[in-house]
Amino acid sequence: MATASVAFKSREDHRKQLELEEARKAGLAPAELDEDGKEINPHIPQYMSSAPWYLNAERPSLKHQRKWKSDPNYTKSWYDRGAKIYQADKYRKGACENCGAMTHDAKSCMDRPRKLGAKWTGKHIAPDEKIEQFELDYDGKRDRWNGYDAASYAHIIERYEARDEARKKYLKDQQLKKLEEKNNKEDEERGDSEDEDFEDALKVDEAKVDESKQMDFAKVEKRVRTTGGGSTGTVRNLRIREDTAKYLLNLDVNSAHYDPKTRSMREDPLPDMDPNEKFYAGDNQNRVSGQALEFKQLNIHAWEAFDKGHDVHMQAAPSQAELLYKNYKVNKEKLKSQTKEDIMEKYGNAASEEILPRELLLGQSEREVEYDCAGRIVKGQEMSIPRSKYEEDVFINNHTTVWGSWWKDHHWGYKCCKQTIRNSYCTGAAGIEAAEASADLMKANIARKESAEDTHAPVEEKRLTTWGTEVPDDLVLDQQKLAEALKKEDEKRREERDERKRKYNVKYNDEVTPEEMEAYRMKKVLHDDPMRDFLH
């Protein structure tokens, strides 16, 4: 059985305590009583949080889990803010040199730094602050609201309430003023009558209704489910409770779909019903009627304008987008009317009431026209020269002919100066002569270059000796000596390949004859020669 550890002054006290506990267990000594005068069960350890059911414990405790005896030094009070304890009349030694208080030094002084402190002037001595030392417990150290006075927040609430009251009063005065002006204007135009007075009185009475009640009626708060928890918000799509719900208009399972989350039914639940008797035709009806359709067209115009490079954004600058859309519609109507007028001016208007000329109606006229046997007009009407829609006889850059009046070497040009550059300036006959002279000179140069390439100067083939110099003309090689030199060169190369055939006594001669040099040159292997493998 574990017991709580107790500090004893001596070993003898410890021994006596153990004997007393054994006597109490045997029933020979009186039981120990607690603070309330009740008997303590020795079989139940006092540090257990709850006693087992079979021990019939009367007073379980949580001594082993928390500090069950509160420390008398702990307190829940807080600092007395701004409290003063003593007001001195003169400067005291050890006090603050700036303000003269004894509870802090000049470095920790929170007063305004004086030009001459209280130490030197002895005037305006600040009172000593009340300094308190608290020993807080575990909860007190971590209590963020410790020392907070809830009454300090009352002036903020009062300020907001006063502002709301002033706003409501101002709005009510403005509404009454507008109604009075409207009533006076109607009285001046129509005159006074009992019915009008009665209606005006009703309007004024309605305006005098408490505005807070009207606001509460328009704003219905309801708990809305969100991922982060419940939050209050205004419920939309409100309906009168006596009206039939959307999902009850048609109970067929294959009818229009109803979304309970958004309370929307986009399709028509009763498509076969008479439109004149139909009260609800689906939510899509609202999207294609009234201002919804105009707002949709405004959005589409903003998107198309943004794609074409205009800095338009419906959400960022809605006023600008609406103004641009209005200007666009005005310009579109102007362009449409201008196009219509041009077509009517050119082709006429068959729907107008203008009387057509007699010549067009009957195909006859009093003008005399003579024709020849081939049907050509001889007298009475001049032949009109057909003209194209393009500009004709327009001369630029001092040219006397148009572009395309001259053709040469697959290029169009001007006939007056024979130039093939469209924006060139006309040079006349002088330019033609200069161009012909330049072409003749170019042809002569080309012919001279071709003739120079055909006739090559003979190049003398120079024979080079083995030393890299030219072979003198008077050099004559002895064929017999050359054959012997070639034979020696072969033997020398054979000895180099097989060292066993090399003789011990070798005599070298430093003098090299032209035949030996020629033999060396003939037998020399050129590593860069691609045909070296076929020489020997």
Side-chain angles (χ1 to χ4, degrees), residues 209-252:
V209 176
D210 189 8
E211 186 185 4
S212 62
K213 294 182 180 179
Q214 294 180 1
M215 292 175 61
D216 294 338
F217 177 75
K219 184 178 181 182
V220 180
E221 298 291 342
K222 184 179 179 181
R223 182 68 63 177
V224 180
R225 293 183 179 179
T226 57
T227 56
S231 62
T232 57
T234 304
V235 178
R236 54 179 184 163
N237 298 335
L238 293 178
R239 63 178 179 85
I240 302 174
R241 307 312 298 176
E242 288 77 9
D243 293 345
T244 306
K246 301 176 185 178
Y247 50 85
L248 296 178
L249 294 176
N250 190 351
L251 300 180
D252 187 5

Side-chain angles (χ1 to χ4, degrees), residues 41 44 51 78 85 196 203 229 242 246 287 294 430 447 457 515:
N41 191 348
I44 301 177
W78 198 246
I85 56 176
E196 291 178 355
K203 292 180 181 178
E242 288 77 9
K246 301 176 185 178
R287 299 184 180 182
E294 184 178 355
E515 289 78 4

Side-chain angles (χ1 to χ4, degrees), residues 129-177:
E129 296 92 350
K130 183 179 180 181
I131 298 178
E132 300 176 289
Q133 297 291 338
F134 296 127
E135 186 177 357
L136 301 176
D137 55 358
Y138 181 86
D139 296 332
K141 291 179 181 178
R142 291 156 179 81
D143 188 5
R144 296 187 301 163
W145 299 94
N146 194 2
Y148 175 73
D149 187 10
S152 61
Y153 192 71
H155 69 282
I156 299 177
I157 299 175
E158 293 175 357
R159 184 178 63 187
Y160 277 89
E161 289 179 352
R163 188 185 66 176
D164 293 341
E165 292 293 335
R167 182 179 61 83
K168 293 177 181 178
K169 184 178 180 182
Y170 174 76
L171 293 175
K172 189 181 295 183
D173 295 341
Q174 291 292 329
Q175 190 175 7
L176 291 173
K177 186 176 179 181

Side-chain angles (χ1 to χ4, degrees), residues 168-334:
K168 293 177 181 178
K169 184 178 180 182
Y170 174 76
L171 293 175
K172 189 181 295 183
D173 295 341
Q174 291 292 329
Q175 190 175 7
L176 291 173
K177 186 176 179 181
K178 290 180 180 180
L179 286 174
E180 290 176 358
E181 292 177 356
K182 185 177 180 181
N183 295 336
N184 295 333
K185 187 175 180 181
E186 291 178 356
D187 292 341
E188 292 176 359
E189 293 178 355
R190 301 180 182 178
D192 297 333
S193 62
E194 294 182 359
D195 296 338
E196 291 178 355
D197 293 340
F198 181 71
E199 292 177 359
D200 294 341
L202 289 178
K203 292 180 181 178
V204 174
D205 292 339
E206 289 178 0
K208 291 181 180 179
V209 176
D210 189 8
E211 186 185 4
S212 62
K213 294 182 180 179
Q214 294 180 1
M215 292 175 61
D216 294 338
F217 177 75
K219 184 178 181 182
V220 180
E221 298 291 342
K222 184 179 179 181
R223 182 68 63 177
V224 180
R225 293 183 179 179
T226 57
T227 56
S231 62
T232 57
T234 304
V235 178
R236 54 179 184 163
N237 298 335
L238 293 178
R239 63 178 179 85
I240 302 174
R241 307 312 298 176
E242 288 77 9
D243 293 345
T244 306
K246 301 176 185 178
Y247 50 85
L248 296 178
L249 294 176
N250 190 351
L251 300 180
D252 187 5
V253 294
N254 297 325
S255 62
H257 173 70
Y258 175 76
D259 186 9
K261 185 176 182 180
T262 59
R263 299 182 180 180
S264 61
M265 182 181 286
R266 296 177 177 84
E267 299 178 2
D268 188 2
L270 301 172
D272 301 331
M273 189 176 179
D274 186 7
N276 298 326
E277 300 178 359
K278 189 181 300 184
F279 175 74
Y280 178 75
D283 295 338
N284 288 338
Q285 184 184 13
N286 300 329
R287 299 184 180 182
V288 295
S289 61
Q291 296 182 351
L293 183 60
E294 184 178 355
F295 183 74
K296 180 180 179 181
Q297 293 176 354
L298 177 60
N299 276 297
I300 294 174
H301 174 263
W303 299 336
E304 293 177 352
F306 182 78
D307 292 339
K308 294 179 180 179
H310 297 280
D311 190 8
V312 182
H313 198 279
M314 187 59 196
Q315 282 70 33
S319 301
Q320 179 189 6
E322 187 174 0
L323 181 61
L324 289 176
Y325 182 57
K326 289 182 179 179
N327 296 337
Y328 166 75
K329 290 194 294 185
V330 172
N331 296 334
K332 185 178 180 181
E333 291 296 332
K334 288 183 179 180

Side-chain angles (χ1 to χ4, degrees), residues 255-525:
S255 62
H257 173 70
Y258 175 76
D259 186 9
K261 185 176 182 180
T262 59
R263 299 182 180 180
S264 61
M265 182 181 286
R266 296 177 177 84
E267 299 178 2
D268 188 2
L270 301 172
D272 301 331
M273 189 176 179
D274 186 7
N276 298 326
E277 300 178 359
K278 189 181 300 184
F279 175 74
Y280 178 75
D283 295 338
N284 288 338
Q285 184 184 13
N286 300 329
R287 299 184 180 182
V288 295
S289 61
Q291 296 182 351
L293 183 60
E294 184 178 355
F295 183 74
K296 180 180 179 181
Q297 293 176 354
L298 177 60
N299 276 297
I300 294 174
H301 174 263
W303 299 336
E304 293 177 352
F306 182 78
D307 292 339
K308 294 179 180 179
H310 297 280
D311 190 8
V312 182
H313 198 279
M314 187 59 196
Q315 282 70 33
S319 301
Q320 179 189 6
E322 187 174 0
L323 181 61
L324 289 176
Y325 182 57
K326 289 182 179 179
N327 296 337
Y328 166 75
K329 290 194 294 185
V330 172
N331 296 334
K332 185 178 180 181
E333 291 296 332
K334 288 183 179 180
L335 182 61
K336 190 175 180 180
S337 60
Q338 183 66 29
T339 306
K340 183 178 180 180
E341 291 176 0
D342 294 343
I343 294 174
M344 292 174 62
E345 182 180 356
K346 185 174 183 180
Y347 300 103
N349 186 8
S352 63
E353 298 180 356
E354 298 178 359
I355 301 175
L356 296 177
R358 185 180 180 185
E359 294 83 2
L360 296 177
L361 288 174
L362 304 177
Q364 299 177 1
S365 64
E366 296 179 356
R367 185 178 302 173
E368 184 179 357
V369 182
E370 294 182 6
Y371 298 91
D372 59 0
C373 297
R376 293 186 293 268
I377 297 176
V378 177
K379 182 181 177 182
Q381 185 179 4
E382 296 180 357
M383 292 292 294
S384 60
I385 302 174
R387 299 177 64 89
S388 65
K389 64 179 180 179
Y390 302 101
E391 296 179 347
E392 296 183 3
D393 299 333
V394 178
F395 307 112
I396 60 174
N397 296 338
N398 203 29
H399 289 285
T400 57
T401 58
V402 296
W403 169 260
S405 58
W406 185 64
W407 169 268
K408 184 179 180 182
D409 297 337
H410 303 281
H411 292 287
W412 292 102
Y414 296 98
K415 187 177 180 180
C416 56
C417 58
K418 296 185 179 180
Q419 295 193 64
T420 57
I421 300 175
R422 179 69 179 272
N423 296 328
S424 62
Y425 194 81
C426 184
T427 56
I432 297 174
E433 294 177 359
E436 291 178 354
S438 177
D440 295 341
L441 182 60
M442 185 183 296
K443 291 179 181 178
N445 292 336
I446 293 173
R448 185 170 59 253
K449 186 177 180 181
E450 291 178 354
S451 62
E453 291 177 355
D454 293 340
T455 57
H456 296 284
V459 180
E460 295 182 359
E461 185 178 357
K462 297 181 179 180
R463 294 180 59 195
L464 299 179
T465 59
T466 312
W467 295 278
T469 58
E470 295 182 1
V471 179
D473 297 336
D474 56 351
L475 179 60
V476 178
L477 297 176
D478 190 355
Q479 296 297 329
Q480 186 177 0
K481 293 181 179 180
L482 181 59
E484 294 177 357
L486 289 172
K487 188 176 180 181
K488 290 181 180 180
E489 188 68 23
D490 293 337
E491 292 177 358
K492 184 178 180 181
R493 291 179 181 276
R494 197 179 303 111
E495 291 177 358
E496 290 178 357
R497 287 195 296 267
D498 191 0
E499 294 184 356
R500 293 177 298 177
K501 296 182 179 181
R502 185 170 59 87
K503 299 179 180 180
Y504 291 100
N505 299 325
V506 180
K507 295 181 180 180
Y508 292 99
N509 188 6
D510 296 335
E511 296 180 0
V512 179
T513 60
E515 289 78 4
E516 293 177 353
M517 200 66 198
E518 184 67 17
Y520 171 76
R521 184 185 65 81
M522 294 172 65
K523 294 295 183 179
K524 182 180 179 181
V525 178

